[in-house]
Amino acid sequence: MNVLQFKAPPLPHYITSGFVSDFPAGSKHVGRQNVGVFDLLVVTKGCLYLREEDRSYEVGEGCTLILRPDQAHYPTRPCTETTQHYWLHFQTTGEWSVSDALLPSGGPVSEEEQSSPAWSLEARPFHLQLPQFSRLQKPDSAHSLLARLVALNVSAHLDGARWKQEALFQELLQQLAAEAPGTGPSPGVICARQAAAYLREHYREDVTVQAMGGSLNFHPIYIARCMQAEYGCSPVEYLLRYRMEQAKLLLLQTDYPVTRIAEEVGFNQAAYFTARFTKYEGLSPRRYRQRFAHT
């Protein structure tokens, strides 16, 4: 199975779409090469017979196929019955690639992702994975989204309509990605995410790994192993970094003294908070605030 992997941000963006309601028996989908956009086909009746590179596809009712912008595609045989299908063109200005298998959802993060992790104030990169060919588990839902997209074409000259189309397209992509088989998180990823949620919820408190383990019903050593694989750090380091980012937000958004900020983010002693913040950020809390002070 070919899988299209899009690195975001930016997300893929919608261009245009349509619906072919009467594609009679004996007709063939047009052959094209290097069209420069992705072409999503969703068949609602009948079947389209296509080939791209060394792969042939029978895109029957309830199936989807995404044709790549950098490859030639052509029909392998005419339709044997009247066929109806939606088509949708989209593109991305970001990086994308093709793999022969789905990556596990929430697998080990790369060095680049670790440098911009979940606690960072910067956007965290992620991947959107779409099977190039798939059979929809919820075809009616996808068809409804596509019908609404096509209906908005008559007012696509208006910014409001284009905005709605983009929102519908992102919802469609999310559905296609969620319906792909084998994309569910592994037990280890589930454990790491639950631990991260626990730490985020209790970061103002005196958190211990024993209390977290008891709350999540996982052994602390297993939790640490899972978080290292998922986030590239231990639970203690994750908690410290999250506290530091919350402290940075308070330094930017409030005039609270450093002693109160230390308490707000779970430190009992302001001096210890200042020392850890200085080591983490490279400057003291006061100097960090002064960088953004209006003079």
Side-chain angles (χ1 to χ4, degrees):
M1 172 178 61
N2 275 5
V3 180
L4 301 173
Q5 298 172 353
F6 298 88
K7 185 177 179 181
L11 286 166
H13 57 270
Y14 172 84
I15 298 176
T16 188
S17 61
F19 180 65
V20 179
S21 61
D22 187 12
F23 205 59
S27 301
K28 295 181 181 181
H29 190 278
V30 294
R32 292 289 186 267
Q33 64 178 354
N34 299 321
V35 295
V37 296
F38 293 92
D39 187 5
L40 169 64
L41 301 174
V42 181
V43 175
T44 60
K45 179 183 177 182
C47 187
L48 295 174
Y49 303 91
L50 291 163
R51 184 177 183 87
E52 183 183 80
E53 288 190 303
D54 59 344
R55 293 177 182 259
S56 295
Y57 301 96
E58 294 186 5
V59 193
E61 183 176 340
C63 294
T64 69
L65 174 65
I66 302 177
L67 298 169
R68 292 165 50 180
D70 60 339
Q71 297 293 333
H73 60 263
Y74 53 90
T76 56
R77 55 181 289 194
C79 296
T80 59
E81 60 181 306
T82 298
T83 299
Q84 298 177 342
H85 66 278
Y86 288 97
W87 58 268
L88 185 151
H89 292 166
F90 69 94
Q91 187 54 285
T92 180
T93 57
E95 299 177 18
W96 66 276
S97 60
V98 182
S99 174
D100 59 1
L102 287 163
L103 296 174
S105 176
V109 294
S110 65
E111 292 183 5
E112 179 184 3
E113 290 171 315
Q114 289 183 28
S115 68
S116 180
W119 50 76
S120 174
L121 296 178
E122 300 178 356
R124 183 189 184 190
F126 65 95
H127 288 86
L128 170 68
Q129 298 189 96
L130 300 175
Q132 190 168 3
F133 174 81
S134 65
R135 181 175 296 277
L136 291 169
Q137 300 178 34
K138 300 178 181 179
D140 290 342
S141 177
H143 297 168
S144 175
L145 289 171
L146 285 160
R148 291 162 65 188
L149 272 164
V150 173
L152 285 166
N153 281 341
V154 295
S155 53
H157 59 292
L158 302 174
D159 288 345
R162 297 289 294 178
W163 182 278
K164 291 179 181 177
Q165 285 184 312
E166 190 61 46
L168 290 169
F169 172 62
Q170 296 302 330
E171 186 176 350
L172 177 64
L173 286 187
Q174 187 176 35
Q175 179 176 322
L176 294 177
E179 289 189 343
T183 57
S186 67
V189 170
I190 292 174
C191 172
R193 292 177 179 178
Q194 289 179 353
Y198 179 92
L199 294 171
R200 287 168 173 264
E201 181 180 357
H202 298 279
Y203 76 94
R204 294 183 179 90
E205 307 167 14
D206 185 15
V207 178
T208 66
V209 293
Q210 290 77 16
M212 180 174 63
S215 177
L216 300 179
N217 293 319
F218 290 117
H219 195 282
I221 294 178
Y222 178 69
I223 293 175
R225 187 184 306 122
C226 294
M227 292 200 73
Q228 186 68 45
E230 173 71 357
Y231 300 113
C233 65
S234 68
V236 172
E237 181 68 13
Y238 188 99
L239 176 61
L240 174 63
R241 293 179 180 182
Y242 188 71
R243 282 172 167 170
M244 292 298 101
E245 293 303 327
Q246 297 306 304
K248 287 163 67 176
L249 287 174
L250 290 173
L251 288 166
L252 287 172
Q253 298 174 355
T254 74
D255 291 324
Y256 294 165
V258 172
T259 53
R260 177 172 177 181
I261 290 177
E263 294 175 357
E264 291 283 342
V265 298
F267 286 87
N268 295 324
Q269 297 180 357
Y272 181 62
F273 162 71
T274 297
R276 296 311 302 263
F277 187 96
T278 302
K279 182 177 181 181
Y280 176 78
E281 192 63 27
L283 68 169
S284 69
R286 286 188 174 85
R287 287 190 175 275
Y288 180 86
R289 174 178 273 166
Q290 289 171 357
R291 290 171 56 189
F292 306 98
H294 178 69
T295 56

